[in-house]
Amino acid sequence: MSNLPASTAPASGIPTAHPLVKGEVGPGCAKVDPIVIADSVTRQFGGLKAVDVDHLEIPRGKITALIGPNGAGKTTMFNLLTGFDKPNTGTWEFDGKSLAGVPAFKVARSGMVRTFQLTKSLGRLSVLQNMLLGATDQKGEKLFASLFRPLWKKQEEENTARADDLLARFKLDAKREDYAASLSGGQRKLLEMARALMSKPQLIMLDEPMAGVNPALTQSLLGHIKNLKEDGTSVLFVEHDMHMVMHISDWVVVMAEGRVVAEGPPETVMKDPAVIDAYLGAHHDTDLGELMEDGPNPVLEAERKAHEAHPEAEATGYGDTPPAAGVEETKR
Amino acid sequence: MDWGNIFGNAVGELISPTTAAYALAAIGLGIHFGYTGLLNFGQAAFLLIGAYGFAIPTLAGAPLVVAVLCAILCSVIFAFILGIPTLRLRADYLAIVTIAAAEVVRYVVTTTGLTDFTGAANGLSGFKGTFAAINPIPDGTYGFGPFTYSSYDWWVRIVGWVIVILASVLVFLLMRSPWGRVVKGIREDEDAVRSLGKNVYSYKMQSLVLGGVLGSVAGIIFILPRAVQPANYTTGLTFFIWTIMLLGGAATIFGPIIGSMIFWVVLSLTQGILYGAIESGALGFLSTTQAGQVRFILVGVALMLLVIFRPQGIFGNKKELSFSV
């Protein structure tokens, strides 16, 4: 367990119960209906313990944000859960099946599909081909069956129809025949998300879906993620954009130095002293202050204090930035 | 200079069995590199294994089909030996391992200790009987002009080119299918393909085996008009196959065939012209041996120019390649 301050300290005004949670809210708390349960997962890089999670549960059918300062181990945790990296210790299960030691492609087949922080669009394939690659259980992907078109033609047509549908939803239908390499950075993010959806995942894990996406596109991406929840898909995403986190997530898990230091609904988790500690330790994330300008904001105040203590530190724009357009919305 | 003879020889290269063998080896390499992105720098080893895997059983009295299956089986085993340790690693490791493995097998067959099986440095000959025995063409000489060959020579050419065409059709069918889409995806980014639930390792292995089998069949076609000579299977052979593949276009259907034809026609032309010039005294400072080597210097220069100025090859898609990183 974390030796950071207890997250349920009454002084911070954090409620100790929540409909998603069985028992008390706190780091590693049990969920009513978890889709992922991880136990004592650790990953060491030389002397650095990049991930050291005692217990973590991700709620089913909800949007969960995984936040934390840079180097907190969020992406490593993603890699471990999806089989792209091997932990030193630990077990985890997805939808009741243990996935420890299972190779990445089998994790994806079991319904847990991820995207990458650095977009991995397949440049010299067309947008449509990228999409079709996401479809599962394709008969034509077997070496011998692939030689005989009638065996897979019908399935291919169904997949193409579904791909076209998704492309239209993600406003990529005009780019259908273009090489993915010709897309803009934001469009590639959209394509990667749409491609992951081709497999109809139960849990989609998005690693920084907003990084490098322009504000106009951000709004539509937010909409897409919310739609996913409505379709019954669970979402786990890593994000530094606090606006997005506050706006769409049902649950927020905060990591710092490899540990889960706090958990809670987005409205209250930011007030957790452990979170404040974690973020001050790392000294950035501008949006964090921006979001909570009205009302008591320990993050902002602590940041100001830190700023006064180190006036030589480069101004990061806390406090003097006008509130972002979506702030009012997030406060409801 | 006898221009008629020079051009006659050059045109003859268009359909020579050697051209067919190189085209087939380049088709195999195209599956590896062009479609799957595997850096195989040991294609010569697959030709060697095809050649010895065919010649040794034939000399031991095995029927044709058994000898061919033996060659194919050996190349499959060799592909697994190469692939199992390296295909989980980054692409560069396969490149290093293949180039080393190709040299290893070449030295193994050259070892004097194996003279009874491989003929060591002298190689093997006298294995054409089973193939000649099923030749349906009656004895005699057929054809016209530069394309006048004996019945055995025609038989080798026909079989060789039919196999090349079949291999091209196979590659076409594979690459338009979802299977081809997966391997092309692996060429672009294997982690992305893995994250979509595809067993990348298995696809890379299938591709390595398939291209290797085509290489070993190319090895059989290559030796049918000649003897097995271990000296033929140096890394130089691998790089000629690379040149042919890049010349035609790496991820194309007709690229390897046209690339091989151009390669051999140009080699034959330059040989004819250089030799002619030496005989007529115009290039008195060169011996004919040196002229032979000059041709291969030209091949190297051509490969460099090709990669710099037309990396997509003759049939490749310029737009597709302009995105490559």
Side-chain angles (χ1 to χ4, degrees):
Chain A
M1 268 292 156
S2 162
N3 49 14
L4 285 155
S7 60
T8 46
S12 59
I14 292 173
T16 55
H18 189 275
L20 285 177
V21 174
K22 203 157 61 183
E24 271 195 3
V25 174
C29 58
K31 306 296 182 302
V32 175
D33 184 15
I35 189 162
V36 173
I37 306 173
D39 272 303
S40 50
V41 175
T42 63
R43 178 69 171 101
Q44 201 140 5
F45 294 118
L48 173 78
K49 233 175 193 178
V51 166
D52 183 9
V53 171
D54 291 315
H55 189 79
L56 178 65
E57 297 188 8
I58 310 291
R60 186 193 305 272
K62 301 289 170 197
I63 301 178
T64 307
L66 182 59
I67 64 167
N70 287 344
K74 307 181 294 291
T75 297
T76 310
M77 188 69 190
F78 253 51
N79 289 343
L80 294 174
L81 290 178
T82 50
F84 277 83
D85 193 4
K86 298 254 178 294
N88 296 86
T89 66
T91 57
W92 62 99
E93 57 182 57
F94 167 70
D95 205 19
K97 299 181 292 281
S98 171
L99 285 186
V102 172
F105 74 94
K106 284 190 182 159
V107 172
R109 280 183 194 173
S110 71
M112 182 161 143
V113 174
R114 70 171 297 180
T115 67
F116 293 88
Q117 186 175 355
L118 299 170
T119 326
K120 293 187 186 292
S121 58
L122 307 165
R124 287 180 288 167
L125 294 183
S126 73
V127 167
L128 180 66
Q129 296 285 306
N130 263 272
M131 292 296 288
L132 290 173
L133 203 51
T136 49
D137 292 323
Q138 295 190 50
K139 295 186 191 94
E141 289 183 353
K142 300 245 184 328
L143 183 60
F144 292 105
S146 72
L147 295 173
F148 307 102
R149 193 178 211 166
L151 292 178
W152 45 266
K153 192 160 173 267
K154 190 163 167 286
Q155 195 187 28
E156 185 86 344
E157 280 162 6
E158 289 164 8
N159 287 337
T160 308
R162 232 158 60 74
D164 281 334
D165 192 43
L166 276 169
L167 285 177
R169 264 168 60 187
F170 281 77
K171 303 263 185 303
L172 285 169
D173 39 348
K175 296 274 181 187
R176 188 177 189 262
E177 301 300 332
D178 291 5
Y179 284 117
S182 70
L183 299 181
S184 74
Q187 287 171 324
R188 287 186 210 185
K189 285 264 175 202
L190 286 174
L191 173 60
E192 202 182 9
M193 200 190 291
R195 189 177 66 194
L197 291 176
M198 276 298 284
S199 66
K200 301 181 192 155
Q202 284 175 272
L203 171 66
I204 185 164
M205 299 175 64
L206 308 168
D207 199 347
E208 301 204 19
M210 296 301 160
V213 177
N214 78 48
L217 212 50
T218 305
Q219 282 307 317
S220 81
L221 261 174
L222 288 175
H224 290 314
I225 296 175
K226 279 183 164 172
N227 286 340
L228 288 180
K229 186 173 81 165
E230 276 156 32
D231 298 344
T233 311
S234 312
V235 181
L236 174 66
F237 70 99
V238 168
E239 189 53 66
H240 281 295
D241 180 349
M242 287 304 148
H243 167 60
M244 172 178 173
V245 172
M246 304 306 275
H247 192 60
I248 66 166
S249 56
D250 301 302
W251 195 253
V252 179
V253 175
V254 188
M255 283 184 78
E257 292 169 3
R259 292 165 175 277
V260 175
V261 295
E263 272 189 61
E267 312 83 53
T268 54
V269 75
M270 292 300 162
K271 296 174 188 157
D272 194 312
V275 180
I276 298 161
D277 267 10
Y279 271 91
L280 284 186
H283 231 287
H284 36 46
D285 272 7
T286 22
D287 274 320
L288 199 62
E290 206 175 66
L291 273 169
M292 310 198 184
E293 277 187 23
D294 42 9
N297 187 343
V299 178
L300 195 57
E301 275 158 31
E303 181 67 50
R304 274 211 193 96
K305 269 185 218 155
H307 197 69
E308 279 159 22
H310 306 280
E312 74 282 3
E314 202 189 329
T316 45
Y318 287 107
D320 48 27
T321 324
V327 167
E328 292 311 313
E329 217 175 326
T330 67
K331 299 301 289 183
R332 90 198 112 110
Chain B
M1 251 191 273
D2 181 358
W3 287 102
N5 195 24
I6 290 172
F7 281 113
N9 283 339
V11 169
E13 290 293 340
L14 278 177
I15 59 160
S16 84
T18 311
T19 307
Y22 275 61
L24 189 58
I27 292 171
L29 188 62
I31 297 177
H32 290 158
F33 174 74
Y35 291 107
T36 322
L38 301 175
L39 280 171
N40 171 14
F41 283 114
Q43 190 68 345
F46 284 106
L47 276 93
L48 182 151
I49 283 165
Y52 281 89
F54 172 79
I56 292 172
T58 304
L59 289 171
L64 181 71
V65 178
V66 173
V68 170
L69 287 179
C70 171
I72 290 174
L73 182 69
C74 290
S75 65
V76 171
I77 294 169
F78 183 66
F80 275 109
I81 293 173
L82 287 182
I84 287 169
T86 53
L87 288 183
R88 288 186 203 277
L89 306 171
R90 272 204 332 264
D92 355 8
Y93 291 91
L94 182 71
I96 296 163
V97 168
T98 48
I99 203 167
E103 286 297 277
V104 168
V105 291
R106 187 169 67 85
Y107 280 112
V108 167
V109 296
T110 320
T111 316
T112 46
L114 293 173
T115 310
D116 291 345
F117 299 101
T118 64
N122 292 325
L124 298 167
S125 55
F127 46 78
K128 291 169 196 170
T130 54
F131 180 73
I134 58 159
N135 181 0
I137 307 169
D139 278 345
T141 305
Y142 304 87
F144 59 93
F147 301 109
T148 309
Y149 304 109
S150 73
S151 96
Y152 179 79
D153 287 349
W154 273 115
W155 179 228
V156 177
R157 280 167 176 74
I158 290 166
V159 170
W161 284 103
V162 164
I163 292 174
V164 168
I165 290 163
L166 289 178
S168 299
V169 172
L170 175 79
V171 171
F172 168 77
L173 289 176
L174 280 176
M175 294 311 161
R176 71 163 187 184
S177 77
W179 188 90
R181 187 160 63 218
V182 176
V183 296
K184 284 184 249 176
I186 291 170
R187 172 188 73 193
E188 299 301 312
D189 191 320
E190 60 176 77
D191 272 346
V193 176
R194 200 171 276 137
S195 78
L196 296 171
K198 319 293 177 197
N199 188 348
V200 169
Y201 180 66
S202 159
Y203 281 99
K204 280 160 86 174
M205 190 61 91
Q206 290 170 31
S207 163
L208 187 66
V209 167
L210 199 63
V213 166
L214 294 186
S216 72
V217 176
I220 301 174
I221 299 173
F222 183 69
I223 58 164
L224 285 176
R226 55 173 69 78
V228 178
Q229 274 292 335
N232 282 337
Y233 303 97
T234 56
T235 44
L237 173 60
T238 298
F239 291 117
F240 293 156
I241 299 168
W242 272 86
T243 307
I244 285 168
M245 182 192 66
L246 294 172
L247 182 66
T252 59
I253 303 295
F254 295 109
I257 299 174
I258 304 298
S260 183
M261 287 176 168
I262 293 174
F263 181 84
W264 284 105
V265 167
V266 168
L267 268 188
S268 169
L269 272 181
T270 47
Q271 173 173 349
I273 293 168
L274 281 170
Y275 285 13
I278 289 163
E279 273 169 32
S280 66
L283 285 171
F285 57 90
L286 274 180
S287 71
T288 47
T289 323
Q290 287 166 333
Q293 286 156 353
V294 165
R295 292 186 305 152
F296 290 107
I297 294 174
L298 294 176
V299 171
V301 172
L303 179 58
M304 281 192 268
L305 294 176
L306 190 66
V307 171
I308 295 166
F309 294 107
R310 200 173 165 85
Q312 77 273 30
I314 294 167
F315 287 94
N317 181 342
K318 176 83 182 168
K319 201 173 147 211
E320 187 176 348
L321 211 91
S322 65
F323 294 123
S324 74
V325 204

